[in-house]
Every structure is written in C-alpha cells, then in structure tokens.
C-alpha cells in the first residue's frame, strides 16, 4: 500500500480519495475550503488533512489532484506552498483535472527537473462513476511511471489506459467530450421531436434503447430529460469549459469541428436561460424555449 495525497475534494475528488482509503492506502487530503476536508475526514477518520498542497506532497509517493481548470492547477502546483515545493524525488504527480494538453506538457517538464514524474489522467464517468469507483481514466506519461501508478488509480476506476506521452490523456478526454456533446444534442432533438409528434416519450425510449440508437446518455438521461429534471450531473458551465479546450486545440492542430462549435453555442444559450449549473442533458431546454 502507498502513501497518497489527494488535492481537490469536489464532487469527483471527494469519493475518489475515499476509495483510495478504503482500498488500504494511507491518504492525506487538501482542499481549498477547509470545511470540505473536515467533512471528508469525518466520513473517513483513518485519513489525514494537510494545510497546504506543499504539506500534502512532501509526505506522499503519489500526489493526485482534481481541480477546476488550468488556472486552478497552477494555483496548487506552483508557489511557496504549492505541490512542487513539497514533491519528493521519485514521486509521481497525477492530474485528474480536465485541462489543456499544454499545461500537462508544461508540468511534466518541471517535474522531470525535480526528478519526479507527471501523468495527466483526466477521467470520464461523472459523479456517479466516481462514487461507484467505475471511472475511465485516460493517461499521458511515461510507461514506467504509469506502471507504478496504474494500480493506485484502479482503486476508483474500471479502466486505466496509457494513451501516449504527456498531454495525450487530455487530448483523449477532448475526444470524449466531442462525442458526448454530439450525442446529447442528437438525443435532445429526438426527444423534442417525439414530444411534438405526440408520441409517448418513455415508450419511445424503451423501444429505441434496444436498438442501434442506444447510448449511455439515453439510458441515464433520457427519462430525466422528459421529466425536465436537470439539477444533478455534469454542469453546463463545466462542459463549456471543456468544449473551449477542444476548440482551442482544434485551432492548433487544424481539426474541423463544425458540430462541436455549434453545440458549444447551444450550451451558451442554456447558460442564458439560467442553466449554468444544470446537467449537460439540459440542451433539450433550449428547444422547448425556442418553440
């Protein structure tokens, strides 16, 4: 078993850190809001709390983080009290944040200078996947360090895969988000069409989910979309952040993503409806609003 620190106890990091402890690792947590860390410790009293990212890093073989965006990553990695100030030679820094490929490459270079390793390891599966320990982890890094870290990440994952060098984990997550955006828009239009046509939406879902149209989004979001329920899941604000990463990377690599760019604007419409914190399946709301 390993000494592991987990930095960032949001809806994903909180249960991920819990799974690490339940699997027998020695876990120290840090969160910008101390109250959140205290609540975690109440639920997992065998754990420990660090008061700075530096303190968390200095006592761990593996340092994991799951924060909001590139700016948040820099705020916990750099500085006198940041992770790099406490990171020990031979340790591995693992970033589960969905962020840019650029920052992954940047931090990997700094870690190498400190004789430590870096793995960009964004996850897919949402809050439910994190709570059930069934996430999919897409990694970028060196094979040897990945081999060391993979068993630790498997504590909260059903699949942990090395996609290539640093940055390629983040690029794979971008592919994931492109697919999700397209599927959710298609499902939104399909359910909107069924409602306008006077069909029984639930019966439609039951029928088509047994055929080629079936998807995770249909199985897990179809009925709540029909019920106009969106106060859960992966927020529109975060999806727009992710899609902006995708579109920025596409401008660099020359990829043509007309549908993704369009759906990003559709999500902007949902934000204008006050749905920034709604689940991404709320794309259907803008269709009914435009009637």
């Amino acid at each position: 078993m390993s000494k592991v620190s987990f930095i960032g106890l949001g809806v994903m990091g909180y249960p991920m850190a819990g799974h690490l402890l339940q699997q027998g690792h020695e876990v120290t947590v840090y969160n910008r809001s101390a109250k959140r860390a205290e609540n975690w410790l109440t639920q997992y009293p065998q754990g420990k709390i660090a008061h700075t990212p530096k303190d968390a890093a200095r006592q761990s073989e593996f340092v994991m983080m799951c924060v909001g965006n590139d700016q948040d990553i820099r705020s916990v990695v750099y500085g006198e009290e940041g992770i790099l100030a406490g990171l020990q030679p031979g340790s591995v820094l693992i970033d589960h944040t969905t962020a840019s490929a650029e920052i992954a490459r940047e931090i990997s270079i700094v870690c190498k200078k400190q004789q430590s390793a870096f793995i960009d390891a964004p996850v897919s599966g949402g809050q439910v996947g994190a709570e059930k320990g069934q996430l999919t982890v897409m990694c970028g890094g060196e094979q040897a360090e990945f081999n060391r870290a993979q068993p630790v990440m498997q504590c909260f994952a059903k699949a942990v895969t090395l996609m290539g060098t640093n940055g390629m984990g983040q690029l794979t997550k971008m592919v994931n988000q492109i697919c999700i955006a397209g599927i959710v828009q298609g499902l939104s239009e399909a359910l909107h069409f069924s409602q306008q046509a006077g069909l029984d939406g639930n019966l439609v879902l039951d029928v088509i989910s047994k055929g080629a149209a079936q998807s995770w989004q249909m199985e897990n979001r179809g009925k709540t979309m029909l019920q106009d329920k969106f106060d859960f899941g992966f927020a529109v604000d975060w999806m727009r952040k992710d899609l902006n990463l995708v579109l920025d990377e596409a401008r660099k690599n020359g990829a043509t993503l007309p549908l993704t760019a369009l759906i990003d604007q559709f999500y902007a419409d949902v934000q204008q409806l006050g749905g920034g914190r709604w689940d991404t399946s709320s794309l259907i709301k803008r269709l009914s609003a435009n009637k």
Side-chain angles (χ1 to χ4, degrees), residues 93-114:
L93 174 58
I94 304 169
D95 185 17
H96 294 298
T97 311
T98 296
S100 69
E102 179 182 356
I103 197 169
R105 300 184 189 111
E106 171 191 319
I107 295 176
S108 70
I109 293 171
V110 179
C111 285
K112 287 178 182 177
K113 290 179 179 178
Q114 294 192 196

Side-chain angles (χ1 to χ4, degrees), residues 5 23 29 32 60 63 88 92 116 154 159 211 213 218 230 234 246 253 255 259 269 284:
S5 291
Q23 293 294 320
V29 300
R32 186 165 48 188
S60 299
V63 181
Q88 299 299 304
V92 183
S116 56
Q154 284 175 330
M218 182 180 292
F230 308 106
F234 189 63
V246 169
N253 68 22
L259 181 59
D269 292 343
I284 195 173

Side-chain angles (χ1 to χ4, degrees), residues 177-179 181-182 243 246-247 256-265:
Q177 300 306 77
I178 293 169
C179 291
L243 293 181
V246 169
L247 295 170
T256 304
L257 306 177
L259 181 59
T260 303
L262 183 61
I263 296 171
D264 177 56
Q265 292 307 301

Side-chain angles (χ1 to χ4, degrees), residues 41-60:
L41 189 64
T42 299
Q43 186 172 349
Y44 303 102
Q46 305 96 324
K48 300 177 182 177
I49 293 179
H51 297 292
T52 66
K54 175 183 177 180
D55 290 338
R58 67 170 40 153
Q59 51 191 300
S60 299

Side-chain angles (χ1 to χ4, degrees), residues 118-120 137-147 150 153 159-166 168-169 172:
F118 177 77
I119 298 174
D120 50 291
V137 190
M138 312 155 217
C139 301
E142 299 297 326
Q143 185 72 56
E145 284 76 18
F146 172 79
N147 291 344
Q150 184 181 26
M153 291 186 277
V160 183
T161 306
L162 181 63
M163 303 305 300
T165 57
N166 286 119
M168 291 190 176
T172 304

Side-chain angles (χ1 to χ4, degrees), residues 68-70 98-100 170-185 217 234-253 255-271 279-283 286:
N69 52 37
D70 285 24
T98 296
S100 69
Q170 295 295 354
L171 293 173
T172 304
K173 179 61 184 287
M174 293 178 197
V175 174
N176 186 81
Q177 300 306 77
I178 293 169
C179 291
I180 290 174
I183 291 169
V184 173
Q185 177 62 20
Q217 296 293 335
F234 189 63
V236 167
D237 287 343
W238 290 115
M239 181 55 121
R240 286 215 73 202
K241 182 266 291 186
D242 291 357
L243 293 181
N244 285 334
L245 289 172
V246 169
L247 295 170
D248 183 59
E249 188 67 35
R251 283 187 285 271
K252 296 174 184 176
N253 68 22
T256 304
L257 306 177
L259 181 59
T260 303
L262 183 61
I263 296 171
D264 177 56
Q265 292 307 301
F266 290 166
Y267 276 122
D269 292 343
V270 176
Q271 288 175 320
D279 180 70
T280 52
S281 59
S282 59
L283 273 178
R286 66 174 295 280

